[in-house]
């Protein structure tokens, strides 16, 4: 893992954008994308750049079960608002949280990932060390799956909803096995509340109890952290 420390999220977005640009210069075709507050500064850099993304395909990590793409809290809506409406892509994929048969939707999404191998995957990290919505205890071998969100994740995500009761209890998430197949991974983490998870991810044992620790096994990972998120690193 290569760790890059930056002053703040703004600079983190610029760093991540520089890595993306370098990968695009090498001819990548497929981006794996994340939602949440972390990648917003990267998406701002992309939107304000002169770069054209209309030859790229994107495959998002996850979506809440039960929310339509028109729901402002859905991840499809988030992606349209922050990136796709402003910078068109060739094709964009987000799991369908409203699919009638969720197992079928997982299989469909696995096919999409198989047809569009991810060149560069953008990740955030949960306070409990989750990546995507792969919560602690999730097997490293799973592909796209239905996830029951932990109380810690529901608590963290309630800031986007009017009340905690409105936060969906389940999500569809790309699995860790699929994330690990990405050729390159950029994980960003900003803020004090990520410090413990970041330290365990980089310096702790590889364990399913801290899903992001699996990234130690991947040959091409860049971690971009601000000073606060790096504050519990010892090395
Ligand atoms: C979002 C995702 C999640 C977030 C994580 C951090 O698509 O997969 O793993 O990256 O929950 O969320 P923020 O960035 O809001 O702190």
């Amino acid at each position: 893992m290569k760790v890059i420390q930056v002053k703040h999220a703004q600079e983190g977005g610029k760093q991540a954008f520089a890595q993306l640009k370098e990968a695009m210069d090498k001819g990548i075709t497929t981006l794996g994308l994340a939602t949440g507050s972390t990648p917003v500064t990267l998406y701002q850099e992309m939107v304000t750049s002169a770069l054209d993304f209309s030859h790229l395909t994107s495959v998002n990590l996850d979506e809440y079960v039960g929310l339509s793409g028109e729901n402002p809290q859905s991840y499809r809506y988030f992606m349209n608002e922050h990136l796709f409406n402003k910078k068109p892509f060739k094709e964009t994929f987000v799991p369908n949280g409203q699919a009638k048969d969720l197992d079928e939707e997982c299989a469909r999404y696995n096919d999409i990932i198989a047809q569009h191998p991810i060149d560069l995957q953008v990740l955030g990290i949960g306070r409990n060390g989750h990546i995507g919505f792969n919560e602690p205890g999730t097997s490293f071998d799973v592909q796209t799956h239905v996830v029951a969100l932990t109380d810690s994740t529901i608590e963290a995500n309630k800031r986007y909803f009017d009340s905690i009761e409105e936060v969906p209890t389940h999500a569809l998430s790309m699995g860790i096995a699929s994330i690990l197949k990405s050729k390159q991974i950029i994980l960003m983490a900003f803020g004090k509340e990520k410090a413990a998870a970041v330290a365990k991810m980089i310096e702790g044992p590889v364990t399913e109890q801290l899903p992001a620790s699996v990234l130690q096994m991947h040959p091409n990972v860049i971690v971009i952290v601000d000073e606060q998120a790096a504050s519990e690193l010892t090395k």
Side-chain angles (χ1 to χ4, degrees):
M1 277 180 177
K2 179 178 171 193
V3 181
I4 300 177
Q5 194 179 319
V6 294
K7 282 211 167 55
H8 40 63
Q10 220 65 37
E11 196 188 325
K14 285 190 199 304
Q15 269 291 345
F17 178 72
Q19 302 291 340
L20 167 66
K21 200 165 171 300
E22 201 179 308
M24 283 178 68
D25 288 344
K26 291 183 187 147
I28 61 163
T29 59
T30 306
L31 293 183
L33 296 177
T35 58
S37 55
T38 306
V40 166
T41 52
L42 165 62
Y43 297 158
Q44 283 166 353
E45 292 294 324
M46 291 170 75
V47 165
T48 53
S49 77
L51 286 191
D52 173 32
F53 302 102
S54 62
H55 60 294
L56 293 187
T57 297
S58 69
V59 185
N60 257 79
L61 283 169
D62 41 20
E63 179 60 285
Y64 285 121
V65 167
L67 301 192
S68 87
E70 279 84 57
N71 185 316
Q73 265 78 38
S74 73
Y75 286 173
R76 161 54 77 183
Y77 189 96
F78 176 101
M79 289 309 301
N80 289 347
E81 282 289 297
H82 284 87
L83 187 59
F84 304 145
N85 288 346
K86 296 168 180 156
K87 282 281 189 184
F89 275 57
K90 180 173 153 205
E91 266 180 309
T92 64
F93 297 102
V94 179
N96 175 8
Q98 286 209 309
K100 286 213 170 60
D101 184 330
L102 293 176
D103 290 336
E104 224 168 72
E105 175 59 12
C106 290
R108 186 187 75 91
Y109 212 66
N110 286 336
D111 285 346
I112 289 170
I113 299 166
Q115 283 158 24
H116 303 279
I118 296 169
D119 294 305
L120 173 60
Q121 174 68 57
V122 174
L123 293 177
I125 182 171
R127 300 170 198 193
N128 62 5
H130 72 219
I131 45 176
F133 269 133
N134 296 288
E135 299 283 23
T138 307
S139 161
F140 288 160
D141 298 328
V142 295
Q143 298 191 60
T144 308
H145 58 133
V146 182
V147 183
L149 302 183
T150 61
D151 290 346
S152 134
T153 298
I154 291 174
E155 181 63 31
N157 289 5
K158 74 172 186 202
R159 64 193 194 274
Y160 296 113
F161 294 81
D162 288 338
S163 70
I164 194 163
E165 287 76 34
E166 283 177 35
V167 186
T169 55
H170 289 76
L172 292 168
S173 180
M174 198 187 279
I176 289 177
S178 312
I179 293 173
L180 286 180
K181 282 199 191 123
S182 315
K183 295 190 191 88
Q184 183 181 9
I185 295 175
I186 297 179
L187 183 144
M188 290 182 280
F190 307 126
K192 181 85 191 116
E193 67 278 8
K194 301 292 173 70
V198 165
K200 287 183 195 152
M201 165 178 74
I202 298 173
E203 297 179 353
V206 175
T207 164
E208 288 176 353
Q209 294 314 312
L210 201 292
S213 65
V214 77
L215 299 178
Q216 291 178 30
M217 321 270 284
H218 190 285
N220 193 357
V221 178
I222 297 177
V223 178
I224 299 174
V225 276
D226 69 1
E227 285 167 2
Q228 290 187 322
S231 61
E232 291 187 30
L233 288 169
T234 60
K235 293 170 199 154

